[in-house]
Amino acid sequence: HEIIICDDAPTDGSQDMVLAYQKQHPKLIRTIFQKKNIGVTRNRNCGIKEAHGEYITTLDGDDLYHPQKLEKEAYLAQKTKADLVYSNVVYIDKDNNQTNIRYKNNRLLEGCLFSKAATLKYPAPREVLIKQSCIEKMGYQDESFPINEDFEWILRLSSQYEFAAVKEPLVMHRIHSKGLSQSNRLLLLETQKKMSKKMLSFVDESIEEDTTAARNKLTAFYHLTQARIAEHQKEYKTAWQNIFKAVRYDFFRSANYDLCLRLLLPLLFKRTSRLPDSLMIGPLAIPFYLARGIHK
């Protein structure tokens, strides 16, 4: 086992704390101190490239692992020979209070998750235990992504490898209101658009059983994201053009009709997103959205 701590040139004195831990556990902990701030993705990639283990996972400085997270995931990886292993995630605030959970009732899917996660029909796994050989084949995190670089990485890996899941919460992920993905909706949408376009290039060689259906769903999500960007920028003609394309490629996606209602009745439907509901299939979702769509 090894712990690699990549310190991205902080100014808060954390290097002294890191060195103190390394002194206590010299055979376990290795450190990488950046001479200047290089950004979260490049810094994280430095650690991934230095890792020697058969399996690798990452942990950001403000998130937490359950003490048995690695043990339970590694056991499942060895038992099932899985390339990717994940577990449930609890969301916490700045005071470590639980605010939500990623997979309700620990309903974690296994196997191929590529198109489900890439179209946001299923929350993509976080802090995944990854076999080193998978990274050697699929590459490191894409440093051109300003946010969600870890999300893109997992999607790329999921195009070729299946998941196994430990069905209990073993990760605590901290949500910041000032984070880019929380505060800059346009940047988030532009990143989703870039990601969906990139994932389309992986469809034909993916492990999806029906690559045609997967391509249609990803194409529909690309146009849905284009429509959301246009709505955000008040370019309503472009929004309608793209939403029609999204419906054509994925008629049964309820999010298409949610956006239609927001475009038709913007004062009534002000919220930018809604929780998925198993009853919301295609245009059948419209009565449900009408019933509970009024912004309070």
Side-chain angles (χ1 to χ4, degrees), residues 225-236 238-239 242:
T225 306
Q226 284 267 62
R228 286 170 172 166
I229 292 171
E231 180 210 18
H232 184 83
Q233 297 175 327
K234 302 186 187 308
E235 298 173 355
Y236 298 115
T238 302
N242 277 280

Side-chain angles (χ1 to χ4, degrees), residues 3 12 19 33 115 123 168 200 212 222 254 262:
I3 297 173
D12 58 359
L19 289 170
F33 293 127
S115 63
E168 58 181 293
L200 276 166
T212 300
Y222 174 81
S254 63
R262 293 212 312 270

Side-chain angles (χ1 to χ4, degrees), residues 146-282:
I147 58 173
N148 282 338
E149 69 292 328
D150 50 348
F151 181 25
E152 184 278 332
W153 193 46
I154 293 302
L155 292 183
R156 197 170 358 120
L157 288 163
S158 71
S159 72
Q160 295 296 316
Y161 303 103
E162 294 186 346
F163 286 88
V166 179
K167 298 188 178 182
E168 58 181 293
L170 299 176
V171 177
M172 286 152 278
H173 178 63
R174 201 179 308 276
I175 299 296
H176 295 286
S177 60
K178 295 182 180 179
L180 282 175
S181 61
Q182 299 293 318
S183 61
N184 191 332
R185 177 165 173 76
L186 182 59
L187 177 61
L188 178 63
L189 291 171
E190 291 284 3
T191 303
Q192 288 178 356
K193 172 186 169 183
K194 180 180 178 180
M195 198 179 314
S196 58
K197 185 175 182 179
K198 183 174 181 178
M199 289 307 113
L200 276 166
S201 66
F202 290 95
V203 172
D204 289 340
E205 302 301 323
S206 73
I207 58 174
E208 288 281 353
E209 290 185 4
D210 188 342
T211 55
T212 300
R215 176 173 290 279
N216 286 340
K217 290 182 183 300
L218 269 165
T219 302
F221 182 68
Y222 174 81
H223 287 296
L224 175 61
T225 306
Q226 284 267 62
R228 286 170 172 166
I229 292 171
E231 180 210 18
H232 184 83
Q233 297 175 327
K234 302 186 187 308
E235 298 173 355
Y236 298 115
K237 181 179 179 180
T238 302
W240 278 113
Q241 289 172 342
N242 277 280
I243 201 65
F244 289 148
K245 291 178 182 178
V247 170
R248 188 176 70 195
Y249 281 103
D250 190 357
F251 180 82
F252 293 104
R253 180 157 191 155
S254 63
N256 295 333
Y257 305 97
D258 176 38
L259 183 54
C260 286
L261 288 174
R262 293 212 312 270
L263 290 168
L264 285 170
L265 303 167
L267 296 179
L268 196 61
F269 295 88
K270 294 182 179 179
R271 284 181 289 180
T272 56
S273 63
R274 302 179 192 282
L275 294 175
D277 190 312
S278 59
L279 294 174
M280 292 186 177
I281 303 174

